[in-house]
Amino acid sequence: MPHDHQHGEHEALIIEDEAGNIEAQIIIDALQQVLIGKGLLTAHEVTAAIAKLESPGLHLGAKIVAKAWTDPTFKSRLLSDGRAAVQELDIPVTEARIIVVENTAQLHNLITCTLCSCYPRSILGQPPSWYISKAYRARSVREPRQVLAEFGLDLMRDIKLVVHDSNADMRYLVLPEPPHDVERYTISELETMISRDHLIGVARGDG
Amino acid sequence: MTRFSAGDHVQVLALGKEGHVRIPHYIRHQTGRVTEYCGTYLNPEDLAVGNTSGRAVDLYRVAFLQRQLWPDDAIPAQDTLIIEIYDHWLRSVKETENAP
Amino acid sequence: MQDGKGPKGYHDVGGDAAGEIPMVELPWLHWEKQVEAIRGLLGDGTRRIVSLDEVRRGFESFGVEKYNTLSFYRRRLEAMTDILIEKGIVSRTELDRAIEAGKVRWSDLDEKL
């Protein structure tokens, strides 16, 4: 059975224990079997859909950012129509629209979803566990600076903070600031500097 | 022609709807400014009850001052929250100082 | 509601008081991916059997106790099942029968391992 996993003063994150995981596996297998029996889907479709869920991840986000850092015309296309620009890189985007928000020396962006846990999954894959936690969803819109501090980022008060609640049909990506000596690095070196946390906005890569 | 454009001052309505809605409680009644028109989308309130033939609705991104959302908190004046609001949850208001 | 802002669902937590962020990164389990894959297939353009908004309505109407005891993907699994039953696409009986058969297979497997 599921239980609350409590760590000190941390807000409980609801996870399944071993028995809960087995039970859930049995239920979804049973549901899949019933749906296959009705001809509504095939086992092959499920396997292919799982593979598709597994393929996105940070590597795609890093590729987008490194390209934007080194190609100003791509960057401007990315900021005006994120979905189309991302698709130029042969990344299939299933979300209706991707809005890319740019960090600058005076501006920092943070992405959240207070109602559920909307996330640009076709680019970054599965959101981190803390992103779907009640604590992050509840506090990111009310005390985002304290939330950032918990992630080790003390944002200076004169930097404008913009929080984006992905409550409806848009999905968001943060474009972090490039290192000040961006031209010294190769694309693959730049890609290794980018973390998933930069793309959500809980980290800031000051150049 | 959409009802609002970027820069317009708007207030989020509290429609009192039961069931699945995508406009969170914390943003209802607040006044802000439209930053962007996002296009038309099927209304999640229809989709949630299996109705896929409802009218597509306009969606906007609207910016609010954090200080106005949480007046009891010490928040830097420039901090902002942006959220997506469907057309039927918005009404036009006169210019206000409480908008980013 | 007294504040005139209308109903506030238990999932609608923006601005609520909450503790520290749990800084954990948990693995994405097979059953969780399978839930997400099947939900995606049932909602795709060729099927349109269950939409994400219907699944959301499902777990938003569980009642707060159930919502707060189920993990993220378990909520989605339970809600998707509820919607499929509500729409008459699967019946509780046939699903329960398949679950029972699955439990037997698991316990057989347990003995063999």
Side-chain angles (χ1 to χ4, degrees):
Chain A
M1 276 285 105
H3 67 290
D4 288 352
H5 201 71
Q6 191 88 42
H7 287 287
E9 298 163 37
H10 293 187
E11 189 70 22
L13 188 69
I14 304 159
I15 60 169
E16 304 288 330
D17 59 15
E18 201 187 332
N21 283 323
I22 292 172
E23 186 181 57
Q25 183 64 64
I26 290 172
I27 296 172
I28 190 62
D29 282 343
L31 184 63
Q32 175 174 332
Q33 195 194 332
V34 169
L35 293 169
I36 289 172
K38 292 178 184 296
L40 295 172
L41 43 81
T42 66
H44 174 75
E45 284 179 311
V46 176
T47 311
I50 290 175
K52 223 162 143 187
L53 291 172
E54 284 174 330
S55 64
L58 169 64
H59 61 288
L60 298 182
K63 189 174 167 185
I64 295 163
V65 170
K67 173 81 173 162
W69 282 352
T70 53
D71 180 343
T73 63
F74 176 79
K75 180 180 151 182
S76 73
R77 292 198 298 281
L78 184 68
L79 294 174
S80 63
D81 183 349
R83 185 175 198 261
V86 168
Q87 283 175 327
E88 283 177 35
L89 304 180
D90 290 328
I91 298 169
V93 180
T94 54
E95 288 86 1
R97 269 189 71 190
I98 298 291
I99 293 183
V100 178
V101 288
E102 184 184 16
N103 282 353
T104 67
Q106 290 81 38
L107 175 73
H108 185 79
N109 292 284
L110 178 69
I111 312 303
T112 189
C113 172
T114 59
L115 292 176
C116 37
S117 293
C118 296
Y119 190 70
R121 282 173 178 259
S122 68
I123 299 171
L124 296 182
Q126 149 90 346
S129 305
W130 53 260
Y131 185 87
I132 70 180
S133 71
K134 182 192 170 195
Y136 184 75
R137 288 163 46 211
R139 294 177 54 218
S140 51
V141 289
R142 173 143 194 180
E143 39 177 20
R145 286 174 182 266
Q146 287 89 323
V147 167
L148 291 180
E150 281 175 35
F151 281 90
L153 172 58
D154 284 305
L155 194 69
M156 295 205 300
R157 280 184 76 87
D158 58 347
I159 296 177
K160 176 179 176 174
L161 175 59
V162 180
V163 178
H164 304 266
D165 189 346
S166 343
N167 62 313
D169 296 283
M170 309 290 103
R171 297 294 177 266
Y172 299 86
L173 271 185
V174 175
L175 176 60
E177 268 194 288
H180 66 276
D181 49 355
V182 61
E183 61 290 336
R184 287 184 46 219
Y185 301 99
T186 65
I187 291 269
S188 51
E189 284 170 337
L190 291 172
E191 286 178 3
T192 63
M193 295 178 188
I194 298 149
S195 78
R196 183 204 53 209
D197 289 1
H198 289 125
L199 304 176
I200 303 174
V202 294
R204 182 175 165 84
D206 282 320
Chain B
M1 211 19 218
T2 59
R3 199 152 65 102
F4 304 107
S5 13
D8 285 358
H9 293 252
V10 289
Q11 183 178 32
V12 181
L13 300 172
L15 296 180
K17 283 195 172 185
E18 297 287 344
H20 176 72
V21 300
R22 296 301 294 177
I23 309 304
H25 191 265
Y26 79 85
I27 210 67
R28 300 176 198 157
H29 287 170
Q30 298 288 349
T31 55
R33 246 164 90 166
V34 173
T35 64
E36 189 179 346
Y37 171 63
C38 304
T40 59
Y41 296 87
L42 291 176
N43 186 348
E45 296 150 27
D46 293 336
L47 293 175
V49 291
N51 174 12
T52 53
S53 56
R55 198 174 58 87
V57 286
D58 287 322
L59 180 69
Y60 301 90
R61 300 182 72 217
V62 184
F64 301 84
L65 285 177
Q66 283 279 32
R67 265 191 183 178
Q68 186 205 330
L69 298 181
W70 320 107
D72 300 337
D73 300 359
I75 298 171
Q78 76 279 19
D79 285 5
T80 298
L81 176 122
I82 302 183
I83 186 168
E84 301 153 35
I85 310 285
Y86 296 99
D87 184 86
H88 58 292
W89 283 84
L90 290 174
R91 76 176 185 97
S92 182
V93 289
K94 288 218 183 78
E95 272 197 32
T96 148
E97 285 172 12
N98 296 329
Chain C
M1 279 243 163
Q2 285 182 330
D3 59 13
K5 293 203 286 182
K8 178 179 185 293
Y10 47 79
H11 65 287
D12 183 359
V13 299
D16 287 0
E20 274 180 50
I21 316 283
M23 294 293 177
V24 287
E25 306 261 351
L26 297 169
W28 199 12
L29 302 173
H30 182 76
W31 72 264
E32 297 176 321
K33 295 176 191 170
Q34 207 176 338
V35 167
E36 202 54 15
I38 291 174
R39 188 195 59 71
L41 289 170
L42 293 179
D44 73 10
T46 63
R47 272 163 275 241
R48 296 183 194 277
I49 295 170
V50 176
S51 73
L52 178 56
D53 283 299
E54 285 176 294
V55 172
R56 287 172 176 150
R57 168 174 61 87
F59 61 68
E60 288 165 11
S61 49
F62 275 165
V64 64
E65 260 177 53
K66 183 167 173 186
Y67 179 89
N68 280 338
T69 52
L70 297 180
S71 65
F72 182 80
Y73 288 102
R74 193 64 187 268
R75 282 173 199 155
R76 289 189 166 202
L77 170 58
E78 299 286 328
M80 178 166 69
T81 308
D82 289 350
I83 301 291
L84 286 167
I85 292 169
E86 177 188 292
K87 291 186 153 183
I89 290 162
V90 305
S91 76
R92 186 78 252 175
T93 323
E94 61 186 335
L95 187 59
D96 284 346
R97 208 178 298 137
I99 291 170
E100 282 317 307
K103 281 182 183 163
V104 172
R105 275 200 306 277
W106 267 86
S107 58
D108 288 351
L109 191 67
D110 226 16
E111 284 164 23
K112 285 179 196 152
L113 290 176

